[in-house]
Amino acid sequence: MPPVLLLVLAASLVALPSCRSLPVQAPVTKDPATSLYTIPFHDGASLVLDAAGPLVWSTCEAGQPPAGIPCGSPTCLLANAYPAPGCPAPTCGSDKPCTAFPSNPVTGACAAGSLFHTSFVANTTDGTKPVSEVKVGVLAACAPSKLLASLPRGSTGVAGLANSGLALPAQVASAQKVANRFFLCLPTGGAGVAIFGGGPLPWPQFTQSMPYTPLVTKGGSPAHYISLKSIKVDNTRVPVSEATGGVMLSTRLPYALLRRDVYRPLVDAFTKALAAQPANGAPVARAVQPVAPFGVCYDTKTLGNNLGGYAVPNVLLALDGGGEWAMTGKNSMVDVKPGTACVAFVEMKGVEAGDGRAPAVILGGAQMEDFVLDFDMEKKRLGFTRLPHFTGCGSA
C-alpha cells in the first residue's frame, strides 16, 4: 500500500482537536521468566508490550461478537497494512467481514482473526498521581490461544506500540483526544510505567531537558527507528565504517542485536578497554566460557561495581540531532547464572556485514531499562534520558 495512503488513513483515526484531555497511565511489569514487559488490560488480563507491533490482539471469549467491519474499509486496510513475514495475504470480497492476521512477536507465528471491540482499563494522570479510572475503547484482533506460546503466563495477547493507526498509542489518542505520543519507562525490576497521550511527566527535574533524535521510517515497517552516527567505548570511537540501517528499538528482545560489521569492532573495543582498566586501579576482569547466545562473559567476582552497575567501559551511541545514548554496565552487562555476567550484545545471524536493509543495531530491553523514552509520533522524534540511580520508573 502506498505510504501516503497509510498516513491519510491513520490521520483520519487520530485527528485531534486543540483541547486535549489528560493522558492515560498504566503500570509496566517485567516478567522474570521471559524478560518481556506487560501492562494490565482489563478484568485481570494483561498484554505484552511490543514496540514494533502494529496491532492490539487478544484471545476472545466464546461467543465474542465481531466488530462487523467490512473487508474493504479503511480500518481493515490499516489492520492489514503491515503483514508479518510468512502470514497469508488477506483476500477481500464485497460482503466479507474484515480479517486481520495478528502475530506473536517471539515465535513469529500468526493466525487469522476477526476484529472486535474491547476496552483498555487504566487511569488518567496529571503527572503526579492517578486522577480517575478510564475505559478506553479499543479495536483488537481476535487470536486463538495457541498464539500465546512463549508469552508470559497470564497474558492474553499483545499491545502493539508501533507507528500504526491501530497500535495502542494511536487508538488511545483517537478515543481520549490526546496526543499520538507515549512515554515508556521499562523497569529492571519492580514497577515501570507507560503514559499515553503526552505529559506532564512524574520526573520533570530529569526530563525537562531530555535530548531528542528524529524517528525515521525504514522499509515500510511501522517499527521505531533512529539514525546512528557513530559508536564510542568510553572516549574511543569504534572503527565502524558505515552504520547504515539505523537503530531499531525492540521490547521483545532482552538484549541488543548488532550486525556483524558493528558487533565485532564494538566487542573488540569493549574487551580492550576493560582489559586496560587495571592500570587505573580497577580489578582485573577474568573472561570465562561464554554462555549462549552471548559471545563474551566474565567472572562477576573480578568485575568492580558502581552506581551504574558493573564497572565496565561505557558504550555510547551518537545519534542524529547530537544526543548520545549512554550505556553503563547496568545496560551493557547481563547476569546469566551465579558468578557469570555477559556483555549484552549479540551478533545478528543470517545478515551480511554492511547490509543496510537490516538495522545496524537493535536495542533490547536491557539497553532501554530505567530510561524515560518519549515516542512522539506527531513530531516524529524520540526523547531519551536515563533516570538517576536513586529514583526509578516505579516513582511515577
Side-chain angles (χ1 to χ4, degrees), residues 110-130:
C110 65
S114 60
L115 298 178
F116 70 102
H117 293 291
T118 185
S119 295
F120 170 40
V121 181
N123 288 294
T124 58
T125 178
D126 62 4
T128 60
K129 62 184 184 303

Side-chain angles (χ1 to χ4, degrees), residues 3 33 104 108 110 113 149 174 197 199 243 254 270 284 368:
N104 182 311
C110 65
S174 177
F270 185 91
V284 178
M368 295 190 287

Side-chain angles (χ1 to χ4, degrees), residues 21-118:
S21 305
L22 289 174
V24 175
Q25 176 175 314
V28 175
T29 302
K30 183 177 181 180
D31 177 58
T34 63
S35 295
L36 295 171
Y37 307 92
T38 64
I39 59 171
F41 197 57
H42 63 76
D43 299 330
S46 62
L47 297 185
V48 175
L49 295 178
D50 180 11
L55 294 172
V56 178
W57 65 262
S58 176
T59 53
C60 296
E61 297 180 3
Q64 175 74 49
I69 294 171
C71 187
S73 67
T75 300
C76 191
L77 291 175
L78 279 177
N80 290 286
Y82 303 103
C87 289
T91 57
C92 265
S94 58
D95 58 345
K96 289 182 64 176
C98 183
T99 297
F101 290 87
S103 66
N104 182 311
V106 178
T107 66
C110 65
S114 60
L115 298 178
F116 70 102
H117 293 291
T118 185

Side-chain angles (χ1 to χ4, degrees), residues 288-305:
V288 296
Q289 183 69 27
V291 178
F294 305 103
V296 180
C297 300
Y298 293 94
D299 180 348
T300 57
K301 294 190 296 292
T302 66
L303 295 174
N305 286 273

